[in-house]
Amino acid sequence: MELLFEGIREAFRLLIHADPEVVRITLLSLKISGCATFISLIIGIGAGMLIALVEFPGKRLLISIINTGMGLPPVVVGLFVTIFIWRNGPLGFLGILYTPTAMIAAQAIIATPIVAGITIAAIQHLPEELRLQILALGATRTQMVWMLMKESRLPLLAAVMAGFGGVISEIGASIMVGGNIMGYTRVLTTATVMETSRGNFDVAIALGVILLLLSFSVNFILTTIQQYDKK
Amino acid sequence: MTKNNIRPILLDIRNLSSVRGGRTVLNIPEMRIYEGEILSLIGPNGAGKTTLLMALLRLVPLESGVIVFKNTPLNETLPHDTYRRHFVMVFQKSLLFNSSVFNNIAYGLRIRGIRGRELLRRVDEQMALFGIAHLRNRHARKISGGEARRVSLARAFVLNPTVVLLDEPFAGLDTPTRDALIADCEKILRASGTTAIFATHDRNEALMLSDRISVMNEGRILQTGAPEDIMHRPANEFVASFAGTDTIISGPVIKKNRGTLFIEVNGSILEIVGEAKIGSKVTFCVRPENILLSKKASRATSARNAFAGSIQRILPVGHFYKVFIDCGFQLIAHVTHQSVKNLGLAEGGKIVASFKATAAHIIRGAAEV
């Protein structure tokens, strides 16, 4: 317990004194996970809307695959992304291995099925006739899709939270494709693992607490927006 | 009908058909809708009323069909989106958006690029017309069912559509709310001269609102006509039954005299006005309100048909009672609560049922005059 309290004390000390290394790691974590979430929102919401609204053969199979992808193990994603961007891999010419770009790509792959899966469920949950009603009021197809997104904004905000929560806390992919390079690809999760392996539990706990606070702050803001809208 | 003949044709529909799951759900060889009229589509659930409304809006895939709107055929010079914006449809469910009442009503205007004072004026005007001005800032999901229907109608009417398609918009409402809403809706439709096509399975709603009624079943229109035509001159047994004419009788014509046919039904001779060949079998119907009940046969009445029978069943139906009488054939009459009391009607009791020869309408077997 003493170790835990020590860690929490250290966390607040690091936060209060705005330790430059901690601030940099925190900002990099936010930047990488924020970008990955943003990319996953664009791809995930777009694909989710398309799959939910268009009838095609194999739709059920595709939804099952996406739903399975919602629980995609980060280490598996990390492994495949590493193979693809490895010097001799199909995308090796990009030269992005052990860069923040590779971490964003890997995290986006993790978050996209989460966002797409929740989007599909959200759109399919709306009454079937709502689409027809929107069209029957004179909307074009694009206006109809936009309105459906507005109508499902509460679950779509949940998709943002789930996507961000999934990537800010993952370690496997980040460490594999980022390499935990100090000052370049070191983020809160990879730093916590490293400090733990070094036996620096107080710093590891401090980083863990910061990660929790960060995750909580983002989710609190999104939840506030979501619940305010629900009123 | 005469009223419609002087109105210009707004929609001319030919060979409209839609197939779903290998089954033809809509088959309309021809249909005309006149400017400013209120046409009701009545029929049981699954008759194809909603499908027809959605087909007019091009919201269901069509197997075939030509739609001519204001003399312009769709597909050629009239694009679908432009055509659709002349229409608006109100569904059975209110389907309000997750926003305020004001935003719901304003939606259609906003997507048409109408903003500012014009938008405010039109939304406020509709809210006043439908009596929902006090709900302006309320959340649309937190109002009553009746209020939601009003918002849904206001959201449609604010667009000043050429045609409004109403798919059972009054279903599921309590009677006072429904009657008030129908009255308001009719007033607004008549004042604006908007053409309306109104689907319902409630013939009373159709009678309250319509200039013409089309009776549908299994994707087809069985008869279109003025309400009194549908009620008193049904084209077939289905229309008669759906229009509330329960007494449908068949029998051979054994004699005719100056336009009166003498028809034998289970040993009784019934006299009805009409034309048919002697020996042919005719089917005719008599509306329940045209069948009179009395304790005994009276010479004072001008009714040519009077039959003694026994009461099989007395069924309370809202404001009146439905009395099933077995006279060797079945007659069904509507009587008031007061009449049930005065005549001492009881199941198993004896009664005389009478109707005029002119009260019968030949459905099948009539000869061309």
Side-chain angles (χ1 to χ4, degrees), chain A residues 127 129-130 132-141 143-144 147 150-151 153-154 229-231, chain B residues 54 57 59 84-85 87-91 93 95-98 107 111-112 139 141-142 155 159:
Chain A
E129 305 96 320
L130 188 65
L132 299 173
Q133 177 65 87
I134 296 167
L135 290 173
L137 287 167
T140 59
R141 299 265 159 196
Q143 287 170 330
M144 184 264 288
M147 193 60 192
K150 279 175 79 179
E151 283 299 290
R153 57 193 180 272
L154 295 183
D229 191 69
K230 204 170 169 246
K231 279 180 190 172
Chain B
M54 293 210 286
L57 256 184
L59 289 178
R84 198 181 281 140
R85 287 208 168 177
F87 289 73
V88 70
M89 183 163 170
V90 178
F91 286 78
K93 290 183 195 163
L95 297 167
L96 298 182
F97 304 132
N98 188 8
Y107 175 72
I111 59 171
R112 284 165 173 77
H139 196 284
R141 302 265 167 92
K142 291 184 177 169
R155 182 174 63 177
L159 302 172

Side-chain angles (χ1 to χ4, degrees), chain B residues 65-84:
Chain B
V66 177
I67 297 176
V68 180
F69 178 73
K70 288 188 173 177
N71 298 320
T72 310
L74 187 59
N75 289 334
E76 291 173 18
T77 46
L78 187 62
H80 280 189
D81 282 350
T82 313
Y83 163 78
R84 198 181 281 140

Side-chain angles (χ1 to χ4, degrees), chain B residues 22 47 61 77 162 171 231 246-247 251 277 292 298 343 350:
Chain B
T77 46
T162 312
M231 296 296 282
D246 301 306
T247 301
K277 289 178 186 164
L292 304 174
S298 164
L343 292 167
K350 299 291 176 196

Side-chain angles (χ1 to χ4, degrees), chain A residues 116-136:
Chain A
I118 296 176
T119 304
I120 293 169
I123 297 298
Q124 289 189 333
H125 186 68
L126 293 172
E128 179 83 25
E129 305 96 320
L130 188 65
R131 279 179 237 172
L132 299 173
Q133 177 65 87
I134 296 167
L135 290 173

